Amino acid sequence: MIVARFEEIVGEGGVLTAPEDLAGYRADSTYRVEDGIVAVVRPIDTEQVAEVVRTCRAHRIAIVPRGGSTGFAGGALPVPGQNVVVLSTERMRKIRALDTVADVLVADAGCTLHELREAAAAAGRLLGLDHGGAGSSAIGGNFATNAGGNNVLRYGMAREQVLGVEAVLADGRVISPPRRLRKCNAGYDLAQLLCGSEGTLAIVTAVALRLRPAPLARATAMLGLVSPARALDLLVLAREYLGEAISAFELMSRSAIAFHNAHAGVAREPLDEPTPWAVLLECESTSRFLDLDAGFDALLEKAIDREIVVGGTVAASEEQRRGLWAVREGIAVAMGQARFFMVKTDTAVPVGCVPEFVTRVEAAATERVPGCRAMAFGHVGDGNIHVNVLPPNGMADDEFRGHGAALSRAVDDIALSLGGTVSAEHGIGRGKRAALERMLSAPELDLMRAIKRAFDPEGLFNPGKLVG
Amino acid sequence: MIVARFEEIVGEGGVLTAPEDLAGYRADSTYRVEDGIVAVVRPIDTEQVAEVVRTCRAHRIAIVPRGGSTGFAGGALPVPGQNVVVLSTERMRKIRALDTVADVLVADAGCTLHELREAAAAAGRLLGLDHGGAGSSAIGGNFATNAGGNNVLRYGMAREQVLGVEAVLADGRVISPPRRLRKCNAGYDLAQLLCGSEGTLAIVTAVALRLRPAPLARATAMLGLVSPARALDLLVLAREYLGEAISAFELMSRSAIAFHNAHAGVAREPLDEPTPWAVLLECESTSRFLDLDAGFDALLEKAIDREIVVGGTVAASEEQRRGLWAVREGIAVAMGQARFFMVKTDTAVPVGCVPEFVTRVEAAATERVPGCRAMAFGHVGDGNIHVNVLPPNGMADDEFRGHGAALSRAVDDIALSLGGTVSAEHGIGRGKRAALERMLSAPELDLMRAIKRAFDPEGLFNPGKLVG
């Protein structure tokens, strides 16, 4: 009966219930579910979303909102034992406004990050958010999970791109339209509160995002280092030479590069002389009066002179630049496609603690499982190093899987002891609820639960996720 | 009896009750109260704040938190008819950490913005927040009100400087210490929710702020324009030439400059040939590889060539630069010191709507009170133009005061009709509660009230402010 009502609201083509149609809605980048989805409902506008919410509320069936489902935390899937309606924003794809005087882009929640970046670029502007899932992840999901990525160092997380939000509340009422203001001190900032709330407080239907000047030039290099401590020296030096022009600063261990090379069947090293660590450094200029090449060259000369950098490759063309990024992105891809179990983490620590964090994680992992391989890579400029722990050569998958929870917890505990977080950018979803409870104090958890109750007293939105 | 208990907690010198001692706590930049302050309590650390909160809660007496009391909305004062304890952070003045690797500053709530900017500068860094009240306003208050100012265009409001917060909750529990992380997706962002909550949800005791590279060079000019529309043309052109290096873009009407000149007894015009409007443009470089002077010169040449700019003065020295800023800041000072009533506003509109906003406000004001003078000045780069309406020459103060509410409402209504806000940076406090109710939709107001109840069910913190 509820399905018929959904069809009235969004049209027949907007509702999916056949098992073969639901197959595409059962997984994100980490999790997979076999059942629990009563229907996938695909509204085309905000009023349809509101009517779907009112219908679900009347029928006391929970809603899991879904963007591109590129997340890592199970946030867009039901948890086992639930029966839910998946509300997909995939048909909400309008760019409502692109204003190059105010530098504001207003878009429906279902627009992909990639298509919005392209629209901004076509207007000579930059949308300062980018990550590996840009091609299919939806802007509503990027907002709801406060997505990060490769350029956070310069442009910030999704949160820092947001000016306003449109959302449907649990009682079916709508906050609309998204504010486009640079400055607005008019009560509690609901947009900032919804950003990162992972679909547990409201369903995002549109966002207003700030745009920035488009980069005119880039300089990119892969630089060899002997340790993560040298990476921090390089970061400080780079800021001294190029100020805020640094747009990416990604650290990779030799072992992570080697893993990618083996996976991708790449023979050629990104560095002529392999070093224990490498940094992918990229700077972007938004003014033709910034001599980026001169600054980049002077920085590298000084870094070599001070023995911070011990080798490297500067991209001489866009093709070479893509080649260097292919290494960095290839590591994550190789890890994602591995046919064996590994422990994946998304911790962050204060930037200066990165070297200690890496050393302690390596020691803790090999102490628990001798021979296992901790491979570190990630956004060192933000303190967000992903350390994945791979099994010792020859260990059976099930045996290593048995160590998974303990290893994962050990990494989290080291991060927390350094004032860090168990989730830097991937969020909590269903997978990190226990870790979140270890991380937060009782008053923080109490406040979050009180906020959840204030927005969604009946637990309609994304139950079993975050603190809901 | 409660005073004796406060003296036990913070020491005798920490509690003020004598009328002459309370005199300094009765005003902010707009409001003045004659009574309602039972005591001013001045803790020196977070534990003392928590104990003061627990004591007030037990005695069912409300708390008004107070930083430097430089606000414009009455937020740090009791509202008429209340008896409250003022909790002043003035003795909480420690800089807890200044980390130039992570570029993080952690400071007690009572540190003034000026002293934190100085500390950052001494370490070769910039704290990207500045405004007219920096000398005495406290960082806790800047955080709690999401302060803005002159450099929002480049560095954002207080919100964008914040990494973490320490705060005492209404039940006396403490969220501590402030997180120092660049990235943390671990639940609802409580720091962002407290930022701008105006002391109604918790008492801020410390904040962690991000630091940025210090500017190495500046270029500053006062430029003559014929209209606000030309100012937007100049803004777009400046972004094209200098990208994100634009750090201030302040618009002033001829009438506002003339008012300042008359007040300050200045004979000399900032521009050789007075123009109807002027923009104070400032750019900052954080890399010695940015040729700021060349970029600035090229921009001005193009702007003159296109007849966007029709005159101007480029600062050739730091002294001249200060002279240009003295005009901009002098306008606000002159308005503040005027001995007659005027209507002051703090609206913002989408940046592209600024010209229409100014025109409509002038028309609406003179329609209501023929001969009155609308003087516009402010942060046009953020869409935040302060339009103050001064009485017609010769009108009695009381008569014009009688028009105040209607004029103020007319300005707000024009801003709202353009998708703007009744408060861009000064906040709601006690003064703009009615305007806030006109601005927000019912679901927004309901959510804000629910959040207030979730944090402070007994109404202990700053009653009568914002939605409390």
Side-chain angles (χ1 to χ4, degrees):
Chain A
M1 192 187 88
I2 191 171
V3 168
R5 177 71 192 115
F6 289 147
E7 286 175 348
E8 282 174 24
I9 301 167
V10 302
E12 263 188 50
V15 184
L16 307 176
T17 53
E20 62 274 21
D21 291 334
L22 299 188
Y25 296 84
R26 298 195 185 282
D28 68 5
S29 300
T30 302
Y31 291 90
R32 176 157 193 88
V33 297
E34 295 311 323
D35 44 31
I37 301 177
V38 172
V40 174
V41 184
R42 305 179 299 166
I44 60 163
D45 62 24
T46 304
E47 188 37 53
Q48 288 188 0
V49 174
E51 194 55 35
V52 171
V53 168
R54 290 188 282 262
T55 302
C56 290
R57 185 177 179 221
H59 286 77
R60 300 188 161 275
I61 184 163
I63 298 173
V64 173
R66 183 185 186 281
S69 211
T70 55
F72 293 84
L77 302 174
V79 301
Q82 291 178 337
N83 279 312
V84 306
V85 169
V86 169
L87 191 154
S88 169
T89 58
E90 70 199 87
R91 300 205 300 174
M92 301 174 68
R93 292 295 269 272
K94 275 195 294 297
I95 293 180
R96 300 190 188 177
L98 201 168
D99 173 348
T100 55
V101 172
D103 275 347
V104 176
L105 173 67
V106 185
D108 280 358
C111 295
T112 68
L113 178 56
H114 180 74
E115 64 201 27
L116 296 183
R117 283 178 56 86
E118 291 288 302
R125 297 293 185 272
L126 175 77
L127 174 56
L129 182 69
D130 198 12
H131 56 70
S136 48
S137 79
I139 197 66
N142 280 271
F143 169 84
T145 60
N146 187 26
N150 294 330
N151 300 135
V152 172
L153 184 65
R154 178 158 184 177
Y155 302 115
M157 312 274 283
R159 179 181 304 292
E160 288 177 61
Q161 323 311 319
V162 170
L163 298 175
V165 67
E166 178 180 274
V168 176
L169 306 181
D171 60 10
R173 293 191 294 177
V174 180
I175 298 178
S176 174
R179 293 220 169 81
R180 303 181 186 193
L181 301 167
R182 298 269 154 182
K183 295 169 91 171
C184 183
N185 276 342
Y188 309 137
D189 195 323
L190 299 177
Q192 287 296 330
L193 180 56
L194 294 182
C195 184
S197 66
E198 302 186 16
T200 62
L201 300 183
I203 295 181
V204 176
T205 53
V207 290
L209 304 168
R210 60 183 289 194
L211 298 175
R212 300 163 195 268
L216 302 175
R218 283 200 183 88
T220 312
M222 183 77 79
L223 302 171
L225 309 162
V226 299
S227 69
R230 290 290 83 78
L232 295 185
D233 294 341
L234 181 62
L235 180 64
V236 172
L237 192 69
R239 282 200 211 109
E240 192 182 317
Y241 275 67
L242 286 159
E244 294 144 306
I246 310 162
S247 50
F249 196 98
E250 301 282 305
L251 185 70
M252 289 150 271
S253 68
R254 164 68 24 210
S255 59
I257 294 174
F259 183 77
H260 156 67
N261 286 349
H263 176 85
V266 176
R268 204 171 155 278
E269 276 287 323
L271 298 172
D272 292 337
E273 302 263 334
T275 49
W277 295 85
V279 160
L280 179 58
L281 171 66
E282 188 160 271
C283 298
E284 287 177 350
S285 166
T286 56
S287 170
R288 59 193 158 86
F289 297 92
L290 175 63
D291 192 340
L292 194 59
D293 289 338
F296 208 70
D297 289 350
L299 164 65
L300 297 188
E301 195 176 316
K302 177 63 79 177
I304 291 165
D305 188 50
R306 288 202 192 160
E307 298 180 359
I308 293 170
V309 162
V310 294
T313 303
V314 177
S317 65
E318 177 62 21
E319 191 191 341
Q320 285 184 18
R321 173 181 171 260
R322 282 175 206 264
L324 297 180
W325 273 106
V327 177
R328 165 64 186 90
E329 286 169 354
I331 293 172
V333 171
M335 302 272 182
Q337 294 178 348
R339 301 229 180 113
F340 53 86
F341 174 78
M342 68 177 73
V343 176
K344 293 181 180 172
T345 65
D346 175 38
T347 48
V349 294
V351 178
C353 298
V354 164
E356 180 181 349
F357 174 70
V358 169
T359 305
R360 284 176 58 182
V361 166
E362 285 172 347
T366 52
E367 186 193 315
R368 275 166 187 74
V369 184
C372 75
R373 297 158 291 161
M375 293 185 185
F377 63 101
H379 322 293
V380 70
D382 314 313
N384 176 203
I385 296 294
H386 304 286
V387 186
N388 290 356
V389 185
L390 281 70
N393 286 320
M395 182 179 280
D397 203 45
D398 278 353
E399 183 183 350
F400 189 62
R401 202 179 286 270
H403 294 291
L407 284 169
S408 190
R409 182 169 174 147
V411 176
D412 286 349
D413 286 346
I414 294 166
L416 293 180
S417 75
L418 293 168
T421 176
V422 299
S423 171
E425 59 180 10
H426 294 167
I428 301 303
R430 65 181 258 198
K432 291 209 179 140
R433 284 160 57 99
L436 186 72
E437 298 218 357
R438 286 205 308 280
M439 174 177 168
L440 298 182
S441 63
E444 285 172 306
L445 284 167
D446 288 347
L447 285 178
M448 290 186 194
R449 290 180 185 127
I451 291 167
K452 170 69 177 174
R453 282 193 302 273
F455 275 75
D456 182 21
E458 294 167 15
L460 186 69
F461 291 152
N462 227 354
K465 314 291 166 55
L466 227 168
V467 297
Chain B
M1 194 188 89
I2 193 172
V3 169
R5 177 71 193 118
F6 290 147
E7 286 175 348
E8 282 175 23
I9 299 168
V10 302
E12 263 189 48
V15 184
L16 306 176
T17 53
E20 64 272 23
D21 291 335
L22 299 188
Y25 296 84
R26 297 197 187 282
D28 68 3
S29 300
T30 302
Y31 290 91
R32 176 157 193 89
V33 296
E34 294 311 322
D35 44 30
I37 302 177
V38 172
V40 174
V41 183
R42 305 180 299 168
I44 61 164
D45 63 24
T46 304
E47 188 36 52
Q48 289 189 359
V49 174
E51 194 55 35
V52 170
V53 168
R54 290 188 282 261
T55 302
C56 289
R57 185 178 179 220
H59 286 78
R60 301 188 162 276
I61 183 162
I63 298 173
V64 174
R66 182 185 187 280
S69 210
T70 54
F72 293 84
L77 303 173
V79 301
Q82 290 179 338
N83 279 311
V84 305
V85 168
V86 169
L87 192 155
S88 169
T89 58
E90 70 198 85
R91 301 204 300 173
M92 301 175 67
R93 293 293 270 272
K94 276 194 294 296
I95 293 180
R96 299 189 189 179
L98 200 168
D99 173 347
T100 55
V101 173
D103 276 348
V104 176
L105 173 67
V106 185
D108 281 357
C111 295
T112 68
L113 177 56
H114 179 74
E115 64 200 26
L116 296 183
R117 283 177 56 86
E118 291 288 302
R125 297 294 184 273
L126 175 77
L127 173 57
L129 182 70
D130 198 12
H131 56 70
S136 48
S137 78
I139 196 66
N142 279 271
F143 169 85
T145 60
N146 187 28
N150 295 330
N151 300 134
V152 171
L153 183 64
R154 177 158 183 179
Y155 302 114
M157 310 274 282
R159 178 181 305 292
E160 288 178 63
Q161 323 310 319
V162 169
L163 300 174
V165 67
E166 179 180 274
V168 176
L169 306 180
D171 61 9
R173 292 191 295 176
V174 180
I175 298 177
S176 173
R179 293 219 171 81
R180 303 181 187 192
L181 301 168
R182 297 270 154 181
K183 295 168 90 170
C184 184
N185 276 341
Y188 310 137
D189 196 324
L190 299 178
Q192 287 296 330
L193 180 56
L194 294 183
C195 186
S197 66
E198 303 187 15
T200 62
L201 300 181
I203 295 181
V204 177
T205 54
V207 290
L209 305 168
R210 61 182 290 195
L211 298 175
R212 300 164 194 268
L216 301 174
R218 283 199 183 88
T220 312
M222 183 78 79
L223 303 171
L225 310 161
V226 299
S227 69
R230 290 288 84 75
L232 295 185
D233 294 341
L234 180 62
L235 180 65
V236 172
L237 192 68
R239 282 198 210 111
E240 192 182 317
Y241 275 66
L242 286 160
E244 294 144 307
I246 309 161
S247 49
F249 197 98
E250 301 282 307
L251 183 70
M252 289 151 272
S253 68
R254 165 67 26 208
S255 60
I257 295 175
F259 182 77
H260 155 67
N261 286 350
H263 175 85
V266 176
R268 204 169 155 279
E269 275 287 325
L271 298 172
D272 292 337
E273 301 264 335
T275 50
W277 294 85
V279 160
L280 178 58
L281 169 66
E282 188 161 271
C283 298
E284 286 178 351
S285 165
T286 57
S287 169
R288 60 193 159 85
F289 297 92
L290 175 63
D291 192 340
L292 193 59
D293 289 338
F296 207 70
D297 289 350
L299 164 65
L300 297 188
E301 195 176 316
K302 177 63 76 176
I304 290 165
D305 188 52
R306 287 203 194 156
E307 297 180 359
I308 293 170
V309 162
V310 294
T313 303
V314 177
S317 66
E318 177 60 21
E319 191 190 339
Q320 285 183 18
R321 173 180 172 261
R322 282 174 205 264
L324 298 180
W325 273 105
V327 177
R328 166 62 186 91
E329 287 169 353
I331 293 171
V333 171
M335 302 271 182
Q337 294 177 348
R339 301 227 180 116
F340 54 84
F341 175 79
M342 67 177 73
V343 175
K344 293 181 180 172
T345 65
D346 175 38
T347 47
V349 294
V351 178
C353 298
V354 165
E356 180 181 349
F357 174 70
V358 170
T359 305
R360 284 176 58 184
V361 167
E362 285 172 349
T366 52
E367 185 192 315
R368 276 166 187 74
V369 184
C372 74
R373 297 159 292 161
M375 293 186 186
F377 63 101
H379 322 294
V380 70
D382 314 312
N384 176 202
I385 296 293
H386 303 286
V387 186
N388 290 355
V389 186
L390 281 68
N393 286 320
M395 181 178 280
D397 203 45
D398 278 355
E399 184 183 351
F400 190 61
R401 202 180 286 271
H403 295 290
L407 284 169
S408 190
R409 182 167 175 149
V411 176
D412 287 348
D413 286 347
I414 294 166
L416 294 179
S417 76
L418 293 168
T421 176
V422 298
S423 171
E425 58 179 12
H426 294 166
I428 301 303
R430 64 180 259 198
K432 293 208 178 139
R433 283 159 58 99
L436 186 72
E437 298 216 359
R438 285 205 307 280
M439 172 176 171
L440 299 183
S441 63
E444 285 172 306
L445 283 167
D446 288 347
L447 285 177
M448 289 187 195
R449 290 180 184 129
I451 291 168
K452 169 69 177 176
R453 281 193 302 274
F455 275 76
D456 182 21
E458 295 165 16
L460 187 68
F461 291 152
N462 227 356
K465 313 294 165 51
L466 227 165
V467 296

